[in-house]
Amino acid sequence: ATPPPPTTTTTYTTSTTTATTICNIIKGRLLVGHSVEHDLHLLGVRHPKEDIRDTSDLPFFRKRNGHRRKLKDLALENLGLSI
């Protein structure tokens, strides 16, 4: 016998709708995060550079050789959190 159809429905949004929503949320705001420009690029969203504070750019959070560190490693080392 065939199983019954699922009782819940899933709603999906397009990437354009998602990008527009994100743009509306962050417009005129200071955006703080780790490797933020990479995330914005993947989402297809632009934000003024002067309104971005990226922890991966701070020397305190970089490796000795100047390379960026993973947020996962920083969270474990500085906060004791496994993400």
Side-chain angles (χ1 to χ4, degrees):
T2 351
T7 56
T8 60
T9 59
T10 305
T11 304
Y12 297 97
T13 60
T14 65
S15 59
T16 303
T17 303
T18 303
T20 301
T21 301
I22 291 170
C23 284
N24 290 333
I25 292 170
I26 66 175
K27 185 177 182 179
R29 297 177 187 254
L30 187 64
L31 189 58
V32 180
H34 191 81
S35 295
V36 175
E37 289 190 29
H38 177 257
D39 296 338
L40 292 175
H41 174 75
L42 291 175
L43 293 166
V45 172
R46 292 181 179 216
H47 197 65
K49 286 186 185 259
E50 61 270 11
D51 290 341
I52 296 175
R53 302 297 182 271
D54 197 326
T55 57
S56 69
D57 290 333
L58 300 174
F60 177 78
F61 292 119
R62 287 187 174 248
K63 294 179 182 180
R64 288 185 183 187
N65 62 7
H67 291 138
R68 294 178 176 188
R69 297 181 64 196
K70 295 178 184 177
L71 181 60
K72 178 180 180 176
D73 296 339
L74 290 170
L76 185 59
E77 181 181 311
N78 293 291
L79 303 172
L81 297 175
S82 179
I83 58 172

